[in-house]
Each structure stands twice: as C-alpha cells, then as structure tokens.
Amino acid sequence: MPALESETICAIATPPGRSGIGIIRISGNDILSISQAILGFSPTPRHAHYCDFLGSDQQAIDQGIAIYYQAPNSFTGEDILELQGHGGVQVLNSLLERILALGARLASPGEFSERAFLNDKIDLLQAEAIADLIDASSKQAAQSAMRTLRGEFSECVHELVTRLTEARVNVEAAIDFSDEDIDVMSDTGVSNSLDKILEQLAVVYEQAHQGVILKEGIHVVIAGIPNAGKSSLLNALSGIDSAIVTDIPGTTRDLLREEISIDGMPVHIFDTAGLRPSDDVVEQEGVRRAHDAIDKADQILLVIDATTQDKNVNKLLAPLGHLLERRESAEPILKRTALVFNKIDLLADAEPRTGKANYNGTQIHQIHISAKHGTGINLLRDHLKSCIGFRPSSEGVFVARERHLKALKKAEESIKNAVIQISKYSHLELVAEDLRVAQRALNSITGEFTSDDLLGEIFSSFCVGK
C-alpha cells in the first residue's frame, strides 16, 4: 500500500530538558524542500550527513547529523528526516520553529506510529508494542514487548485466522452448494479443525494473559480489623516505612499505595483503614473506601492477629461484611482472598507456613507470617505469583492489553458456539455466522478490522515523537 497523502508533521523525539543529544523527527511529503532550506542540500537516502542546521537568515542554529529515509523505506512509510543535534531546550525549540515556518505542523501524540500503521508498515499489535516497550517497568515486560514488536504475537493471530478461514470455506461451500452432496454436519473434519483451533487459541490466550500481568501488574488490597498489622505488612512487602505503625487502633484512615516488583511483575499494594463500626465520620469514609478497594482488587490479603484464640473461619471473614452477603460477589471475593495470620512471633514455636481453610465449600489460602520480623514474607510473595498464574520466565510471553484478551475470549466463545451448532446438526448459516464473528474478533487484534474511535484512543496514549 503506498504512503498516504498527508501533511508534513514534526516533533522533538527526545525528552525535554538538558542533554547531550536532541532529536527532531519530520515525516511527510515536504521533506526534500525542508531539507534544502535547513541543510542547504538534498540529502542522500540512508546516509549520515554531518552539517549545519540553518535558520531563515542562513545562520547556523545548530550542528549535527541529518539522516534522510526515503519513502516507502522508512518507519512511517513516508519520507522522513531526522535531525540529531544538541539537547539544549532553546536549540531544539529554535530548530522546531524553523521547521514549522517551512510548512510542517506539530505531530499529535503517537502520530508517527499511527502513520506507520495506516501505511502498512506495522500492524496494530506492533504499534501498541512500541508504546509498551517505552513504558516497560521491568526487564521481562521489555522482552515481551520486543517479541510483540517483532511480530510474534501477530503471527500467532494470523495463523489462527488462516485456520479459521479454512473452516469457514468448507461451511460456506456447503451453504452455497446445498443441493450437492456436501454434509458438513455429519463430517467430523470441520468439528475436529475447530477443536484444534480452540486448543491453539487457549495457548495464545495464556501467553497474552501473562503479558497483561507483566504490563499492568496486579492490585493487592491489605484488609482486616484495626491493629492486626496491616500497615506493618505493607512496610514489609514494600521494604520501606511508608505507613505509620502504632499500637493505637485506627491509625490508618485512608488508602495508602505502594508499588513493588516481584520477579518483574508489577504489584500495586493498597493498605486500607481497619474494618470496624465507628461513629467517627472520617473513619467511616475510610472503611467505605476500603470496601470499594476490596471489591475491585485482584487479590485480597485479609490480615488476622495470629494470637486470637477464635479460629472459626466464618468469624475470621466477618470484616468483609456486606461483600460476602451479596450472593453474586461472595464466591469471586473468596476466590481472591487469602487469610494472613500475622504476629506469629508472639506465639511459642510458631513457624511460617501455608495451608487451606474451607468456607462453604470454597478453599481459601492461609499464610502464617510475622510482618514485624519479615518471617514468611517470601511465602506471601510466592502466593501472589501463583494465584495470578504468573511464571518467572517471560519466554514465549507477548505483551498484551485487556482489549486483546477480550477479543480472544470473544473468538473462543463464538467458535465454541459453532461446535455446539455442528453437534446438534443445526443450520449451517448459524455456524457460518459464529465463525465470521470469531474471525472478526481476531482481526480486531491486529487492526485489520478496527473502529476509528479505537484507533484514536490507542494512539492518543503514545508520547509525542512516536
């Protein structure tokens, strides 16, 4: 696909501030005329020219390296000129003003990457991976983003689409030639093919899910009654004294947040107000915020004073209160809750350990620790990794986003519906429609079918100059 006819855009591609090097990137149809005005000559494609960058008075604004990338062999698919000069704020701004005066306009956030996508230089997955690589908060996340940028995730999606297309061809052929002797419903070929696609889809989903964890991390809420040691646990996990620890119940009244990394997995930890009835208006608001945080958490650490004599699970879970009274939320809450028995240092011969508790048929993790002395904290870290399905190795993992997971799930749901339709010898038209919906969902991942609104939302989150 040829480069799109578009305005010439420019942006400072390096972060603002004082630095040794500053880069300005220009892309569009007017590169040669701008080059002639600023450099005084037409640059040779893909050669580094050491030269002056000239102002309107033909005086040098700066001196550096100019590189010209000729369309379509460039990042955006258009003519690109990169000016690599010194990183002073005034120097870069003066040079940018000169380029704007020559007819270019400032690029919007992510506009260079958007043009690369629109000109078929990269697909949408690769475009998103550029932003994810820049924003990577760990080595594993960066490696996963690089795999997606190289097209590994895209290849998996394209393979699924190809196999799905083959199945659709067989089904639609049976519809178009219904008077011929083509009986897809009685033939296990299509059904077996769809089963294999579902197996492959499950593998891709798991790899993408790990990528989401590496990118987004998990939200962990520390909850419990006052003075159970919640703030001590936050400090133990984060490694800093971010929360005030006293013997006075109700010290914490608002949400405290810290971010840590467990084997490269970002973990957002929230310490909450003690869950108890109170006449204090401020404390009541703290408890309300705590319940909201618990409701939205990926994992809940319900901290319990290990010295308590009452080990009845029903009573231990009482601080979760009305969240367990709502039938629709009770089981999901329990499945992401762990009972953390703190202060085992106050017990004789107590050792850090893990176990299970049963609550109305739901198994709940138990972990015995001492936040004050750091005893058993590694068990807690291991629990957080295992319950989210985290693998320490990022091998084979793609950086991914929630929209990718939703699209993969939509495709899986539609293919399963098609398999059910075949098993029940239902109308071929229904099978064909399910497969079409599945293919459309997969194509939305790479951008072969994507709404303009979604494109705007994706690229607007990029940094300027990318």
Side-chain angles (χ1 to χ4, degrees):
M1 177 180 174
L4 298 175
E5 292 293 329
S6 56
E7 300 172 279
T8 298
I9 58 173
C10 62
I12 299 174
T14 44
R18 183 172 176 270
S19 62
I21 297 175
I23 298 175
I24 291 181
R25 175 180 284 178
I26 318 165
S27 179
N29 301 322
D30 302 324
I31 293 300
L32 291 180
S33 62
I34 291 175
S35 298
Q36 188 67 46
I38 292 181
L39 308 179
F41 62 89
S42 295
T44 303
R46 309 186 86 79
H47 278 65
H49 298 274
Y50 180 66
C51 57
D52 290 338
F53 304 151
L54 305 174
S56 58
D57 57 0
Q58 297 304 297
Q59 297 298 309
I61 298 174
D62 195 9
Q63 191 176 61
I65 301 294
I67 304 178
Y68 167 50
Y69 302 92
Q70 189 174 32
N73 301 314
S74 70
F75 174 67
T76 62
E78 305 169 335
D79 283 349
I80 283 183
L81 179 66
E82 283 195 0
L83 303 177
Q84 304 175 9
H86 296 91
V89 174
Q90 185 57 51
V91 172
L92 287 173
N93 285 339
S94 296
L95 189 54
L96 187 64
E97 287 175 7
R98 169 72 166 139
I99 296 167
L100 293 172
L102 291 170
R105 68 163 174 82
L106 285 175
S108 303
E111 191 167 0
F112 289 94
S113 297
E114 184 175 15
R115 290 190 178 195
F117 166 70
L118 294 174
N119 288 325
D120 289 339
K121 303 299 291 185
I122 55 176
D123 62 30
L124 194 54
L125 272 176
Q126 292 171 300
E128 291 171 303
I130 293 171
D132 294 333
L133 183 60
I134 294 171
D135 295 335
S137 58
S138 68
K139 180 180 178 180
Q140 290 91 335
Q143 290 173 339
S144 297
M146 198 62 213
R147 288 193 187 91
T148 302
L149 182 56
R150 286 175 178 163
E152 292 183 23
F153 193 178
S154 302
E155 287 177 9
C156 290
V157 174
H158 286 311
E159 186 177 347
L160 285 168
V161 170
T162 298
R163 297 183 67 175
L164 197 55
T165 300
E166 293 171 356
R168 283 190 66 190
V169 167
N170 289 330
V171 173
E172 306 233 5
I175 295 174
D176 293 339
F177 302 98
S178 56
D179 54 337
E180 302 291 335
D181 189 20
I182 303 178
D183 190 357
V184 174
M185 295 305 186
S186 62
D187 184 1
T188 59
V190 172
S191 182
N192 289 340
S193 176
L194 294 180
D195 286 338
K196 291 179 181 178
I197 292 174
L198 285 173
E199 292 176 4
Q200 186 178 353
L201 190 59
V203 173
V204 174
Y205 181 88
E206 175 58 23
Q207 292 171 317
H209 180 253
Q210 290 295 317
V212 171
I213 293 173
L214 283 173
K215 178 181 182 294
E216 304 291 346
I218 60 171
H219 289 75
V220 177
V221 169
I222 301 174
I225 63 174
N227 220 27
K230 300 185 298 301
S231 296
S232 296
L233 180 55
L234 174 67
N235 293 343
L237 285 170
S238 64
I240 58 175
D241 292 334
S242 57
I244 298 173
V245 177
T246 72
D247 293 329
I248 304 172
T251 302
T252 302
R253 295 191 171 196
D254 204 349
L255 295 179
L256 296 180
R257 174 175 175 168
E258 287 293 339
E259 292 190 16
I260 66 171
S261 176
I262 300 178
D263 287 347
M265 176 181 68
V267 180
H268 313 281
I269 308 177
F270 296 84
D271 181 22
T272 60
L275 303 176
R276 66 174 180 181
S278 174
D279 294 328
D280 188 307
V281 176
V282 177
E283 191 169 359
Q284 288 174 1
E285 177 61 17
V287 172
R288 186 194 67 78
R289 294 186 183 190
H291 280 140
D292 286 345
I294 291 169
D295 220 0
K296 300 172 184 175
D298 295 310
Q299 290 295 313
I300 303 158
L301 303 180
L302 186 60
V303 183
I304 298 160
D305 188 338
T307 62
T308 182
Q309 298 300 312
D310 193 344
K311 296 298 191 293
N312 183 284
V313 178
N314 291 47
K315 292 184 178 179
L316 295 177
L317 289 169
L320 297 183
H322 71 281
L323 296 175
L324 297 181
E325 295 171 5
R326 300 186 329 216
R327 181 171 298 178
E328 72 279 3
S329 67
E331 187 174 359
I333 289 285
L334 291 172
K335 285 185 175 180
R336 46 195 171 92
T337 296
L339 301 179
V340 181
F341 289 91
N342 187 29
K343 304 183 182 181
I344 62 171
D345 54 294
L346 300 179
L347 301 175
D349 301 323
E351 294 291 334
R353 66 183 190 278
T354 62
K356 297 279 188 180
N358 187 289
Y359 179 82
N360 295 338
T362 301
Q363 295 293 309
I364 305 174
H365 288 276
Q366 292 188 88
I367 306 167
H368 296 252
I369 69 162
S370 169
K372 181 178 180 180
H373 297 284
T375 308
I377 295 299
N378 286 336
L379 292 177
L380 191 53
R381 291 173 180 265
D382 290 340
H383 165 72
L384 292 175
K385 290 188 294 184
S386 64
C387 65
I388 204 69
F390 176 76
R391 298 195 307 266
S393 171
S394 60
E395 188 67 32
V397 173
F398 315 121
V399 72
R401 303 184 177 200
E402 283 296 334
R403 79 168 191 90
H404 304 149
L405 297 186
K406 290 178 180 177
L408 291 170
K409 276 297 183 186
K410 179 64 176 177
E412 179 187 47
E413 177 186 336
S414 298
I415 295 171
K416 286 182 176 179
N417 287 340
V419 171
I420 293 173
Q421 296 290 354
I422 292 175
S423 67
K424 293 182 178 179
Y425 293 87
S426 299
H427 296 291
L428 281 175
E429 288 81 0
L430 297 178
V431 177
E433 176 61 17
D434 283 328
L435 297 184
R436 185 193 67 80
V437 171
Q439 188 170 356
R440 192 180 178 95
L442 292 175
N443 282 335
S444 72
I445 296 176
T446 55
E448 293 177 44
F449 167 75
T450 311
S451 70
D452 291 340
D453 289 342
L454 179 59
L455 288 180
E457 180 181 338
I458 289 172
F459 288 107
S460 65
S461 65
F462 283 38
C463 56
V464 174
K466 258 304 180 187

